[in-house]
Amino acid sequence: VSTKESGRFQCVLVLALIGVVAAYAAVGVPRVEGARYLPFVPWGWQSVFAVAGMVFVSYGGLTKVVAVSEEVHNPKRNLPLGMFLAYGVVSVLYMLVVFATVGLVDGEILSGSLTPLSLGAEKSMGHVGAIVIGIGAFMAFATTANSGIMAASRAPLAMSRDGLLPE
């Protein structure tokens, strides 16, 4: 399919994913148990920065936007606007989701889990919540794959234009 259709599909997936994550945060944040945050940083701030470095990798998707910039209408305006908006929305959602998850699930259980959001969703919304988060995880994988496929063709095209690959 065309880049235009892939872009539309990506928009639908991303909006649905944002809806799932926002719903999780909206339901979870009011149910947070404040006692779960004490002590607040038991292993020091170095551990916070170490984890922040790992989470930063997830922002790598912003570079895919640059790869498809040729397809963007008015890229001088829309690319920076879109990237800053995406960064802002994702940052706020990350903070709310982490706040809710840590405040909902016991630390002992959370530290050994490979599905922390599902645990938080099950605690705040029941079994249906865990299913919805599972669907959201699938949408996250689908958006990653779709953007990767969209961006993958652009690098060889640019390289061929620069004479680094055959036309």
Side-chain angles (χ1 to χ4, degrees):
V1 296
S2 69
T3 304
K4 191 175 197 176
E5 292 303 316
S6 294
R8 285 185 184 142
F9 180 61
Q10 186 77 353
C11 286
V12 169
L13 285 174
V14 168
L15 290 174
L17 181 57
I18 288 172
V20 167
V21 173
Y24 171 74
V27 172
V29 167
R31 293 182 167 94
V32 163
E33 297 172 25
R36 294 194 193 277
Y37 286 97
L38 300 173
F40 185 61
V41 185
W43 295 284
W45 285 99
Q46 282 182 311
S47 61
V48 173
F49 290 114
V51 172
M54 288 186 275
V55 170
F56 184 76
V57 172
S58 64
Y59 288 95
L62 287 173
T63 60
K64 287 184 175 45
V65 173
V66 176
V68 295
S69 62
E70 195 172 356
E71 308 294 331
V72 175
H73 298 289
N74 193 8
K76 198 177 223 179
R77 175 191 170 273
N78 292 339
L79 282 176
L81 178 63
M83 290 176 83
F84 282 116
L85 283 173
Y87 179 77
V89 169
V90 169
S91 295
V92 168
L93 287 174
Y94 262 40
M95 286 185 275
L96 290 172
V97 165
V98 169
F99 178 76
T101 304
V102 171
L104 290 167
V105 182
D106 183 62
E108 296 291 323
I109 297 169
L110 195 57
S111 68
S113 174
L114 296 175
T115 57
L117 297 187
S118 291
L119 293 174
E122 191 155 10
K123 183 120 185 201
S124 63
M125 297 183 273
H127 188 64
V128 172
I131 291 170
V132 170
I133 287 295
I135 292 168
F138 176 77
M139 286 187 290
F141 290 132
T143 60
T144 301
N146 190 43
S147 65
I149 290 168
M150 284 172 45
S153 65
R154 305 314 291 176
L157 175 66
M159 290 174 73
S160 70
R161 285 184 183 161
D162 292 343
L164 299 171
L165 287 176
E167 289 183 22

